[in-house]
Amino acid sequence: MTRPVLYHCPDARSLRCLWAVEETGMDVDLRMLKFPPRAFEPGYRAVNPLMTIPGWVEDGRLMTESAAICERIAEGTSLEVRRDESDYWAWRNWLHRSDATLTFPLAIMIRYTRVEPEERRLAQAVEDYRAFFGGRAKSIEAALGDGREWLVAERFTIADIVIGYAAFLATTLGADDVLGEATKGWRDRCMAREGFQRARQRQKAAA
């Protein structure tokens, strides 16, 4: 059986998958791409017609959604919340919230600060979506406000990975001042994990 292949750009959403890989010790073939692939990696279209990151290829099947890939990686490990656990549905909700609610406004900020040429950058859009993210990030603060160390199940899971990535991304964009104090502490715990540190070191070494 061949190793799964992870197509990844440094610090892109695919970092969630690489982080999960490092937490579990799964053996994967890491393929580094320049960001954005649609501009710099024309050959990637043959792998993923969407030209999005991540791309996960396993047993001839392609997966393209980072939270779903994290679910695959977490199977049978402590990063997974099982259906018979009381926090199962809260866990699933966080996985979906990670992109639809939290990473989306940050993606708009990235577009208009880093991707678009200078003449097309929109400061107002950046500020609007920064505030948009701040409002939605209150859900993280509410979940941690009772003194929880992690989001669900009284342990570190892929919910912390997929949501923690959004908090990390906000920090790289200078938008972490909209995060609550409990959220900042939790973000720091996430980023201090050896799995996160190894993932960032591995992407740097492979670039």
Side-chain angles (χ1 to χ4, degrees):
M1 183 178 294
T2 58
R3 293 182 296 165
V5 180
L6 172 61
Y7 293 87
H8 170 54
C9 294
D11 288 349
R13 294 182 210 206
S14 47
L15 181 59
R16 290 169 169 154
C17 309
L18 185 56
W19 182 2
V21 161
E22 291 299 327
E23 291 280 354
T24 61
M26 179 181 282
D27 184 21
V28 302
D29 180 359
L30 179 64
R31 309 279 181 91
M32 298 298 299
L33 303 177
K34 294 180 181 178
F35 184 84
R38 66 177 181 276
F40 298 111
E41 303 283 357
Y44 180 55
R45 191 176 300 278
V47 175
N48 178 8
L50 295 175
M51 295 293 276
T52 55
I53 288 294
W56 177 273
V57 179
E58 184 174 9
D59 297 332
R61 294 186 295 271
L62 171 68
M63 297 179 69
T64 61
E65 300 303 315
S66 58
I69 295 167
C70 284
E71 282 193 80
R72 158 65 191 99
I73 296 166
E75 279 187 323
T77 76
S78 64
L79 297 183
E80 178 185 36
V81 176
R82 301 180 307 276
R83 188 175 285 271
D84 61 356
E85 294 185 72
S86 60
D87 275 353
Y88 172 78
W89 286 111
W91 176 73
R92 291 294 297 273
N93 197 55
W94 282 115
L95 299 185
H96 287 273
R97 182 178 291 169
S98 65
D99 268 338
T101 301
L102 290 169
T103 309
F104 166 71
L106 298 173
I108 300 297
M109 292 178 66
I110 290 173
R111 175 173 181 176
Y112 289 112
T113 58
R114 300 178 183 176
V115 178
E116 292 289 349
E118 199 71 41
E119 67 275 10
R120 283 182 50 83
R121 296 183 180 182
L122 301 174
Q124 188 62 59
V126 173
E127 286 306 308
D128 288 349
Y129 279 91
R130 171 194 176 95
F132 187 23
F133 170 76
R136 294 187 167 197
K138 290 179 181 177
S139 63
I140 308 173
E141 188 73 5
L144 296 166
D146 60 359
R148 285 191 182 199
E149 185 178 13
W150 305 111
L151 288 174
V152 294
E154 298 183 352
R155 66 178 186 273
F156 180 83
T157 73
I158 55 168
D160 299 289
I161 289 178
V162 297
I163 303 296
Y165 171 75
F168 160 74
L169 186 58
T171 301
T172 69
L173 291 168
D176 56 326
D177 60 333
V178 303
L179 301 176
E181 291 306 310
T183 303
K184 289 178 181 177
W186 161 82
R187 174 209 57 195
D188 292 346
R189 288 192 295 277
C190 287
M191 293 172 63
R193 290 185 66 87
E194 290 184 5
F196 180 79
Q197 297 296 326
R198 285 196 302 269
R200 296 202 76 209
Q201 290 166 4
R202 185 173 176 183
Q203 70 179 9
K204 184 177 180 180

